[in-house]
Amino acid sequence: MEIGMWIITGLVLVMLAVVAFAVWRAVSETHGDRLVVENVLKVREAGRVRIRYGVHGLRPFTWGRDASMLVRVAVEYAGVDLSPATLVETGIRMQQLLGYDGVECREPRPRWREWRLVR
């Protein structure tokens, strides 16, 4: 009976370690993506860029190689020119730095810019 408890305890500890590693990796990759995007956009205040992951853009964190990434920023917080002419160039730069295959740019509202990076 006592050996069974040790085995169960060991299995629970292994599962907790695997979950902790997965969470740590998701947090570190998400933070790295945020730093790259904030650097490309030269954001004046940290945390003013909204990044969502997944096909529908619902998750605030990554699980590794996601199918897409949605980046949204208000024009007033970006330190670079986000006119329609440079919008595509900025999106391509983010695409190359983050390792995505394609990028779509749009202006959902007059003072907002949005990029969807896809694999």
Side-chain angles (χ1 to χ4, degrees):
M1 175 113 168
E2 195 162 309
I3 292 201
M5 290 300 289
W6 283 105
I7 292 173
I8 291 173
T9 304
L11 289 174
V12 168
L13 289 175
V14 167
M15 286 189 295
L16 286 174
V18 168
V19 168
F21 177 75
V23 168
W24 170 79
R25 183 173 171 145
V27 167
S28 65
E29 286 181 7
T30 304
H31 181 69
D33 290 348
R34 180 171 298 282
L35 290 176
V36 168
V37 169
E38 287 179 352
N39 188 26
V40 168
L41 295 175
K42 294 181 178 52
V43 176
R44 294 185 181 109
E45 295 180 37
R48 291 298 185 165
V49 175
R50 190 170 168 199
I51 298 176
R52 297 287 183 232
Y53 295 92
V55 176
H56 303 292
L58 299 176
R59 278 185 287 123
F61 55 87
T62 181
W63 284 120
R65 288 187 53 88
D66 282 306
S68 68
M69 173 182 183
L70 180 68
V71 177
R72 186 176 293 153
V73 65
V75 174
E76 62 195 47
Y77 295 119
V80 296
D81 177 32
L82 292 180
S83 64
T86 60
L87 195 62
V88 175
E89 293 173 17
T90 306
I92 290 172
R93 211 164 141 223
M94 279 192 285
Q95 168 197 342
Q96 291 170 346
L97 291 172
L98 293 169
Y100 282 83
D101 297 329
V103 63
E104 299 170 12
C105 309
R106 48 182 224 135
E107 298 178 39
R109 290 185 238 150
R111 295 189 336 232
W112 288 85
R113 301 299 181 264
E114 184 176 283
W115 295 269
R116 180 171 295 280
L117 302 157
V118 292
R119 292 201 196 267

